[in-house]
C-alpha cells in the first residue's frame, strides 16, 4: 500500500490488488516505529496520521523473573518521533489508502487475489487475478510482489529462497485492561515461557510464544490450565484472563524467517515479507517492509514517471536494502537461538542475561536498542518525486 501511495504520488499510474475485502484482521503487532513516523513526517502526513487512534510507547520494558528491566528508550529522539505508535493495522492501512486516494494515479482493487504471473521469454508482463469470482488480468511495466510471507507471486517467480528457520510459533489473544497513564507494553521472560504484551489502552494484545509444532500439545492441556499458566507468568493479566473463554479466542500465528537470494526478474520486483519474512522479535517487520517500498520508489518512481525502462535498476533495490534486512534478521536469529530457544527449555530460576543486566545498570545504553529497533542501520528517507496536485 505504501508503494502504491509513493508511485502514484510520483505520477506513475499504479494499481494495488488486495485479496481481502477490508483490513479488519489482527494477525500481528502494530508497532509503528520512529523510522516510519519520520517517513510520514517527510511526506507531510504525520499530524494526520496521529489523529488516528493509537497508543504511544516511549520505552520498552522486559519482566525477567520478578524484575522489570527497561531495555529501549526512544525518548532522546526528535520529539516528533520519540516513541513507537501502536496502531491497529486496519487503522494504519485505512489511513494510507485514504491518503493514496488523493492522488489521481492511484487505484485500489479490493477482493482481488493475484493468482499467477504473466510472462513470455523471461519478462514478467502482468498478473492474473480473481476479482470476486471472475478471472481477470492486468498488464504493467512493473509488477511489485508485496503479498507477504506466503507470497504466491514469489513462489511463481522461481526466485531462490534461503530459509533461516524460526523455531517458534505464537498464540495470539486479547485480555481486557484498565487504561493507564503510562503505556505498559512489555516482554515477559520466565522459566520455560516467553510472552509479549502490547498495551492497546483498554486491552492487552498478548503473544504467547512456544516451540514450533507444539500448538496441539498446548491445546491438549486445556484452556483452564492455559489461562492459569498465562496468569502466573504475566500477573497483570490475572484479573481478566477469564475473558479468554475458549480456544476460539486464541489464534495460532506461524512465524517464518527467510530471504530471497535475488529480489527481481525483468518486470518483477519482490519486497517486504515476500522478499524476506521477518520474525515478530523486536516488532520491526512492518517498518522494514515500508522502507523497502520507500527505497523502491526512490530508485524507480522518477524514471518510471518519465516513461523510462527500469529493469536495469531493479537489482539496486535489493542492494540498497540488504544491509538493513540482513542485520535485523541476523539479530532475530541470534535472539531465537541464544535467548528464546534456551529459555523455552529452562525449568528453574535464571538470571537475566548480561546484556539485560548492563541495560538495567547503565540507562544510557538503552539508546542503542532504541536506535536499532527504531531506525536500524540503514533507514530510508523519502526522495521519490511528487507529481501533480494531490
Ligand atoms: C505473530 C507476528 C507478530 C508480528 N508483530 C509485528 C509487530 O508488532 N510489528 C512489526 O513491525 N512487525 C510485526 N510482525 C512482522 C510483520 O507482520 C511483517 O513483517 C509485515 O506485515 C510485512 O509487511 P508486508 O506488507 O510485506 O506483508 P503483509 O503485511 O503480510 O501484507 C501482505 C498483503 O498482501 C495481501 N495478499 C496476500 N496474498 C495476496 C494475493 N495473492 N493477492 C492479493 N493480495 C494478497 C494480504 O492480504 C496483505 O494485505 C509480526 C509477525 C508475526 C508473525
Amino acid at each position: 500500500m505504501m508503494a502504491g501511495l509513493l508511485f502514484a504520488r510520483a505520477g506513475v499510474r499504479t494499481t494495488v490488488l488486495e485479496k481481502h475485502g477490508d483490513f479488519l484482521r489482527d494477525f500481528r503487532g502494530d508497532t509503528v516505529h520512529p523510522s516510519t513516523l519520520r517517513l510520514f513526517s517527510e511526506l507531510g502526513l504525520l499530524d494526520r496520521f496521529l489523529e488516528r487512534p493509537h497508543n504511544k510507547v516511549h520505552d520498552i520494558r522486559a519482566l525477567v523473573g520478578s524484575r522489570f528491566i527497561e531495555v529501549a528508550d526512544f525518548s532522546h529522539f526528535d520529539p516528533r518521533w520519540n516513541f513507537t505508535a501502536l496502531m491497529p493495522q486496519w487503522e494504519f492501512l485505512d489511513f494510507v489508502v485514504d491518503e493514496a486516494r488523493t492522488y489521481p494515479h492511484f487505484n485500489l482493487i479490493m477482493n482481488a487475489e493475484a493468482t499467477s504471473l504473466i510472462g513470455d521469454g523471461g519478462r514478467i508482463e502482468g498478473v492474473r487475478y480473481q476479482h470476486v469470482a471472475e478471472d481477470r488480468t492486468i498488464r504493467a511495466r512493473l509488477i511489485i510482489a508485496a503479498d507477504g510471507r506466503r507470497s504466491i507471486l514469489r513462489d511463481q517467480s522461481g526466485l531462490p529462497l534461503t530459509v533461516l528457520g524460526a523455531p517458534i510459533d505464537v498464540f495470539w489473544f486479547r485480555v481486557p485492561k484498565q487504561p493507564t497513564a503510562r503505556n505498559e507494553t512489555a516482554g515477559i521472560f520466565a522459566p520455560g515461557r516467553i510472552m509479549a504484551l502490547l498495551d492497546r489502552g483498554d486491552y492487552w494484545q498478548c503473544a504467547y510464544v512456544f516451540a514450533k509444532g507444539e500448538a496441539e500439545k498446548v491445546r491438549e492441556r486445556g484452556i483452564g490450565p492455559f489461562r492459569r499458566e498465562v496468569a502466573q507468568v504475566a500477573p497483570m493479566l490475572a484479573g481478566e484472563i477469564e475473558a479468554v473463554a475458549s480456544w476460539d479466542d486464541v489464534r495460532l500465528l506461524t512465524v517464518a524467517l527467510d530471504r530471497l537470494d535475488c529480489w527481481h526478474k525483468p518486470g518483477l520486483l519482490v519486497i517486504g515479507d515476500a522478499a524476506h519474512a521477518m520474525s515478530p522479535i523486536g516488532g520491526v517487520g512492518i517498518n522494514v517492509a515500508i522502507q523497502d517500498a520507500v527505497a523502491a520508489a526512490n530508485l524507480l518512481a522518477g524514471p518510471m514517471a518519465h516513461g523510462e525502462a527500469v529493469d536495469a535498476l531493479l537489482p539496486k533495490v535489493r542492494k540498497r536494502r540488504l544491509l538493513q534486512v540482513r542485520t535485523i534478521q541476523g539479530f532475530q536469529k541470534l535472539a531465537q537461538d541464544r535467548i528464546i530457544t534456551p529459555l523455552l527449555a529452562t525449568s528453574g530460576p535464571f538470571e537475566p542475561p548480561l546484556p539485560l543486566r548492563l541495560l538495567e545498570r547503565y540507562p544510557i545504553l538503552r539508546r542503542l536498542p532504541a536506535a536499532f529497533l527504531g531506525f536500524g542501520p540503514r533507514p530510508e528517507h523519502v526522495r521519490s518525486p511528487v507529481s501533480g496536485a494531490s
Side-chain angles (χ1 to χ4, degrees):
M1 209 61 78
M2 281 297 288
L5 182 151
L6 292 164
F7 278 81
R9 176 176 172 272
V12 180
R13 209 148 56 85
T14 305
T15 298
V16 176
L17 306 179
E18 167 54 55
K19 74 174 173 184
H20 288 96
D22 57 44
F23 303 121
L24 286 172
R25 299 181 310 288
D26 204 355
F27 64 88
R28 62 171 178 230
D30 315 288
T31 49
V32 180
H33 279 303
S35 62
T36 302
L37 298 174
R38 187 171 70 182
L39 290 170
F40 279 139
S41 174
E42 290 171 358
L43 289 165
L45 302 180
L46 185 58
D47 290 342
R48 283 208 292 281
F49 177 72
L50 294 175
E51 283 166 15
R52 299 271 174 154
H54 68 280
N55 289 284
K56 292 186 174 66
V57 181
H58 291 277
D59 46 46
I60 297 178
R61 294 189 305 164
L63 177 59
V64 186
S66 57
R67 257 151 77 185
F68 267 112
I69 298 177
E70 209 168 292
V71 290
D73 174 12
F74 299 107
S75 62
H76 62 286
F77 292 144
D78 182 311
R80 288 170 293 174
W81 46 78
N82 67 353
F83 57 92
T84 288
L86 295 186
M87 182 180 288
Q89 78 164 352
W90 54 91
E91 288 290 350
F92 181 92
L93 288 169
D94 276 347
F95 171 78
V96 178
V97 169
D98 285 353
E99 295 299 332
R101 281 200 171 117
T102 64
Y103 296 102
H105 288 88
F106 180 81
N107 177 32
L108 167 63
I109 309 176
M110 301 295 287
N111 289 308
E113 179 165 6
T115 51
S116 61
L117 293 165
I118 302 170
D120 278 333
R123 184 159 211 293
I124 304 302
E125 291 168 346
V127 282
R128 294 183 192 84
Y129 68 99
Q130 273 226 317
H131 185 240
V132 196
E134 205 179 296
D135 289 325
R136 295 188 181 182
T137 58
I138 191 164
R139 295 202 172 250
R141 284 185 290 157
L142 177 65
I143 301 296
I144 299 183
D147 48 342
R149 61 211 152 102
R150 295 201 195 90
S151 170
I152 288 175
L153 299 184
R154 171 185 76 188
D155 291 351
Q156 287 234 336
S157 72
L159 291 168
L161 181 74
T162 298
V163 176
L164 304 173
I168 51 168
D169 283 327
V170 166
F171 275 139
W172 196 241
F173 54 96
R174 293 175 177 197
V175 175
K177 96 177 255 293
Q178 291 295 328
T180 43
R182 176 201 163 106
N183 190 288
E184 305 282 349
T185 294
I188 299 185
F189 301 86
R193 186 58 51 221
I194 296 173
M195 289 187 66
L197 305 185
L198 300 180
D199 179 350
R200 288 189 179 165
D202 57 358
Y203 69 93
W204 295 104
Q205 179 63 59
C206 308
Y208 172 101
V209 180
F210 56 91
K212 201 173 235 358
E214 294 203 345
E216 257 335 290
K217 240 177 163 174
V218 180
R219 285 196 191 105
E220 271 167 17
R221 297 207 294 264
I223 193 74
F226 176 73
R227 281 194 300 252
R228 279 195 290 282
E229 187 196 328
V230 167
Q232 198 181 11
V233 173
M236 57 287 256
L237 303 182
E240 300 279 0
I241 189 68
E242 296 299 318
V244 182
S246 73
W247 288 112
D248 292 342
D249 297 323
V250 181
R251 295 194 50 201
L252 170 64
L253 300 182
T254 52
V255 177
L257 195 64
D258 59 37
R259 189 162 67 226
L260 282 181
D261 301 341
C262 168
W263 297 12
H264 69 94
K265 278 189 152 182
L268 174 75
L269 176 68
V270 188
I271 60 171
D273 265 23
H276 47 75
M278 308 299 284
S279 148
I281 296 169
V284 286
I286 306 166
N287 306 276
V288 174
I290 286 170
Q291 291 186 43
D292 285 0
V294 172
N298 286 349
L299 287 158
L300 309 173
M304 286 187 78
H306 291 111
E308 293 166 22
V310 290
D311 282 353
L313 297 176
L314 297 181
K316 293 193 171 185
V317 178
R318 174 177 177 272
K319 199 169 169 214
R320 165 82 208 167
R321 297 297 301 142
L322 202 55
L323 173 71
Q324 181 96 346
V325 169
R326 261 203 186 138
T327 311
I328 293 174
Q329 287 190 325
F331 154 76
Q332 293 182 326
K333 180 131 181 67
L334 197 73
Q336 279 177 185
D337 295 350
R338 295 282 172 82
I339 300 175
I340 293 180
T341 304
L343 197 56
L344 288 176
T346 307
S347 53
F350 62 94
E351 265 295 292
L354 180 66
L356 282 188
R357 279 182 276 140
L358 289 173
L359 291 169
E360 186 178 37
R361 182 136 187 211
Y362 303 107
I364 196 155
L365 293 180
R366 296 170 199 159
R367 294 177 176 205
L368 296 174
F372 185 72
L373 299 177
F375 290 102
R378 186 180 280 168
E380 301 296 337
H381 290 277
V382 177
R383 304 202 196 284
S384 50
V386 196
S387 149
S390 99

